Amino acid sequence: MFNGKALDNKVAIVTGAGQGIGAAVARAYAAQGAKVAVVDWNLETAEQVAQSIRAAGGQAVALKCDVSDRAGVDAMVAATVAKFGPVDVLVNNAGITRTAMLHKMTPHQWDQVLAVHLSGSFNCLQAVVGSMMERQRGWIINTISTAGILGTIGQINYGSAKAGLIGFTKSAARELARYNIIVNCVAPG
């Protein structure tokens, strides 16, 4: 604990933070003293969340980013570091759905979902992990779903992406443990 708040002066990036779970995580981290980059493809909703954090006395910046675009991710991380300093916590929460029964799903629907969930998580992790390794500390949290464990009807792309994130998390955890970087996943619901 740092002055009564577990995340005082830690820098956190939360993707998909313009609404829902991501917004709740961003607000909770700020309430615990973190400086939060509220990241979403929709800058307007990200700014609303960041403004609510600032209104409550926290520190937050809203950043627009499509996590499937590596150059955009690198720019988002650079903007976060310029504003707050090195990243301590990454929450890979960005996600989309493109629902269709498997026999009707288009390759584009498949690719879009995997690009955001899997490639986006990889892009964000790779963009922050070098600094974490140098500093010998960091926390990575990947949002998964019971769909990745149990499967789901009409969302083979989503279930596959979330199952992939489980393997992604386990591999990253094993590789990064020697640097005191903790990697976990959470399946809300």
Side-chain angles (χ1 to χ4, degrees), residues 68-81:
S68 69
D69 171 34
R70 181 54 191 262
V73 168
D74 289 341
M76 175 270 293
V77 171
T80 300
V81 171

Side-chain angles (χ1 to χ4, degrees), residues 8-158:
D8 267 354
N9 296 313
K10 301 294 185 210
V11 176
I13 292 175
V14 182
T15 68
Q19 62 181 352
I21 293 168
V25 169
R27 288 182 180 112
Y29 278 30
Q32 286 299 311
K35 302 171 189 174
V36 182
V38 178
V39 178
D40 203 278
W41 68 270
N42 184 329
L43 185 58
E44 184 179 331
T45 60
E47 183 53 47
Q48 290 170 359
V49 173
Q51 178 55 38
S52 73
I53 290 170
R54 292 189 297 266
Q59 296 184 61
V61 62
L63 297 170
K64 179 177 181 163
C65 184
D66 171 357
V67 296
S68 69
D69 171 34
R70 181 54 191 262
V73 168
D74 289 341
M76 175 270 293
V77 171
T80 300
V81 171
K83 175 78 174 173
F84 293 134
V87 177
D88 299 293
V89 181
L90 168 65
V91 180
N92 279 317
N93 180 68
I96 61 169
T97 58
R98 298 294 182 260
T99 303
M101 297 303 281
L102 68 92
H103 66 285
K104 293 182 178 181
M105 184 169 290
T106 66
H108 183 65
Q109 289 170 313
W110 173 267
D111 291 342
Q112 279 185 305
V113 171
L114 270 69
V116 171
H117 291 271
L118 276 175
S119 296
S121 295
F122 173 78
N123 290 339
C124 291
L125 174 60
Q126 199 173 52
V128 302
V129 77
S131 172
M132 289 180 177
M133 290 166 66
E134 288 173 12
R135 291 178 294 124
Q136 296 284 302
R137 73 171 191 271
W139 296 269
I140 311 293
I141 299 99
N142 301 309
T143 303
I144 62 165
S145 167
T146 56
I149 300 166
L150 304 173
T152 186
I153 296 170
Q155 293 184 322
I156 195 168
N157 50 4
Y158 181 79

